[in-house]
Amino acid sequence: MNNSRRSFIQQVALMTAGLALPSSIFSCKPIKAGGRKLGIQLYTLRDQLAKDVRGTIARVAQAGYEQVETFYGYNGPDSTFWGLTTEQFKALLQEHNLTTPSGHYQLNDYLTKGNGNDEALKAQIAIAAAAGQEYLTVPVPPLYLWDKYPVPVDDYKFMAAQLNKAGELCKQSKLKLAYHNHFWEFRRLPDGKSSAYDILLNETDPALVHFELDLFWAEKAGQDPVKLFEKAPGRFPMWHVKDISKAAPSPLPDTVGIDINKIQNDIKFAEVGTGTIDFKAIFAQAKTAGVQYYFVEQDQITIDPFVSIKESADYIKKNLL
């Protein structure tokens, strides 16, 4: 994992889902409505995977999950899955009847205005295509945009144009491109009306760029996921399902930066079904969203992590799927 990103996560006790080890695996066809499978973003268990990848994957399956979403940071051709080759990791998932329809990939240089280097993009497309994943998902914008305020309109316009180009390249390799949000994309632009997320939605081609909506971060940014679905129907094939703790239910201020001293007490996670998000209302609009895949993710866990992921899985399967 990127050291600066690891430090940031540890300090803020959260923030993003994904730039670490190579991701991968076999092709996964969309699950039809009424027959969707439940997945987990493996970033939830990042510490456990680093210590015991085989045991952790086994316990993911035991907790009731059928799919995993990987996370990836391109470190050259010798990168591995927690010490396993792609084929070994693929076999491990197969052993536990798990598939992976998506992986998170780092495109910091490619999405940075004034840079745009596509070397890592092409390398990671090749990796994802060879592994058979369906979605190559961008987990986060370039680091310099995380706390930049006022929100730089031109930088997000550049991102949108780059995402369109990346979508074309993904299509050539039989992949789809998706973008995963946090809260900062929803901060208002200098016009006081629209947001950076509006730029990404409006200036990307629906046929080339899809969105993985992180329900926690959308609501934490003061957004109503259902209204987002209505604004851009069919563009949200993947969701990150995670809950907002009742200990910190309020949205973040629109002007907030990434100052740990200002936001650390305002961001707390909870097992799905124990917090403040009305998941039933959101899941009722699955068709409008166009969702195909659900991934539980919890950036910070305060109980036994394997108990946590099972509690979330049990709630979703009993009440939402």
Side-chain angles (χ1 to χ4, degrees), residues 33-45:
R36 297 183 183 91
K37 296 179 180 180
L38 181 60
I40 185 170
Q41 165 52 250
L42 289 178
Y43 182 74
T44 305
L45 300 171

Side-chain angles (χ1 to χ4, degrees), residues 20-219:
L21 302 165
S23 64
S24 65
I25 296 350
F26 9 79
S27 56
C28 303
K29 296 181 179 180
I31 305 298
K32 294 182 179 180
R36 297 183 183 91
K37 296 179 180 180
L38 181 60
I40 185 170
Q41 165 52 250
L42 289 178
Y43 182 74
T44 305
L45 300 171
R46 56 200 178 276
D47 294 333
Q48 291 70 36
L49 285 163
K51 295 175 182 177
D52 178 11
V53 59
R54 294 184 182 279
T56 299
I57 292 299
R59 296 191 71 173
V60 164
Q62 291 167 8
Y65 293 92
E66 299 165 283
Q67 298 180 329
V68 300
E69 183 177 46
T70 56
F71 59 100
Y72 184 92
Y74 184 61
N75 297 313
D78 296 327
S79 300
T80 65
F81 291 92
W82 302 281
L84 301 180
T85 66
T86 299
E87 289 303 315
Q88 289 171 331
F89 189 59
K90 184 184 300 186
L92 177 61
L93 292 188
Q94 289 175 328
E95 178 184 345
H96 296 286
N97 297 312
L98 293 167
T99 58
T100 175
S102 173
H104 280 197
Y105 292 81
Q106 169 63 296
L107 300 180
N108 190 69
D109 290 344
Y110 177 72
L111 296 175
T112 294
K113 188 171 182 288
N115 186 332
N117 189 312
D118 64 4
E119 180 180 349
L121 166 65
K122 291 179 178 178
Q124 290 173 106
I125 285 176
I127 292 167
Q133 284 192 312
E134 182 179 351
Y135 284 94
L136 185 153
T137 302
V138 179
V140 66
L143 308 186
Y144 77 96
L145 289 178
W146 292 12
D147 59 355
K148 195 166 186 177
Y149 202 86
V151 178
V153 173
D154 289 344
D155 294 68
Y156 277 97
K157 285 180 173 291
F158 177 80
M159 276 184 59
Q162 291 293 89
L163 289 173
N164 282 328
K165 294 176 183 177
E168 285 281 10
L169 289 173
C170 284
K171 185 178 180 180
Q172 293 173 19
S173 296
K174 302 188 185 305
L175 292 170
K176 299 174 185 177
L177 183 79
Y179 182 87
H180 165 274
N181 65 280
H182 290 81
F183 74 86
W184 44 74
E185 294 94 340
F186 294 105
R187 290 180 296 169
R188 284 172 289 183
L189 300 180
D191 65 11
K193 300 176 182 178
S194 56
S195 69
Y197 203 73
D198 289 324
I199 293 175
L200 298 179
L201 276 176
N202 297 333
E203 299 196 13
T204 54
D205 185 342
L208 297 174
V209 181
H210 309 272
F211 290 84
E212 178 176 64
L213 190 68
D214 189 302
L215 302 179
F216 175 101
W217 288 118
E219 294 230 358

Side-chain angles (χ1 to χ4, degrees), residues 221-296:
Q223 302 296 307
D224 180 349
V226 172
K227 290 183 179 179
L228 288 173
F229 302 155
E230 293 171 348
K231 179 188 293 188
R235 295 198 71 183
F236 302 92
M238 297 183 289
W239 297 351
H240 272 189
V241 184
K242 58 192 185 193
D243 216 339
I244 296 173
S245 171
K246 294 177 181 177
S250 301
L252 293 167
D254 182 67
T255 57
V256 75
I258 309 296
D259 186 339
I260 178 64
N261 296 314
K262 293 181 180 179
I263 66 173
Q264 63 177 341
N265 293 324
D266 298 322
I267 303 174
K268 296 183 185 298
F269 303 86
E271 285 65 46
V272 178
T274 68
T276 65
I277 294 181
D278 184 355
F279 288 106
K280 290 184 179 180
I282 296 172
F283 273 70
Q285 300 303 315
K287 185 175 181 180
T288 302
V291 69
Q292 298 169 320
Y293 303 112
Y294 306 112
F295 301 110
V296 167

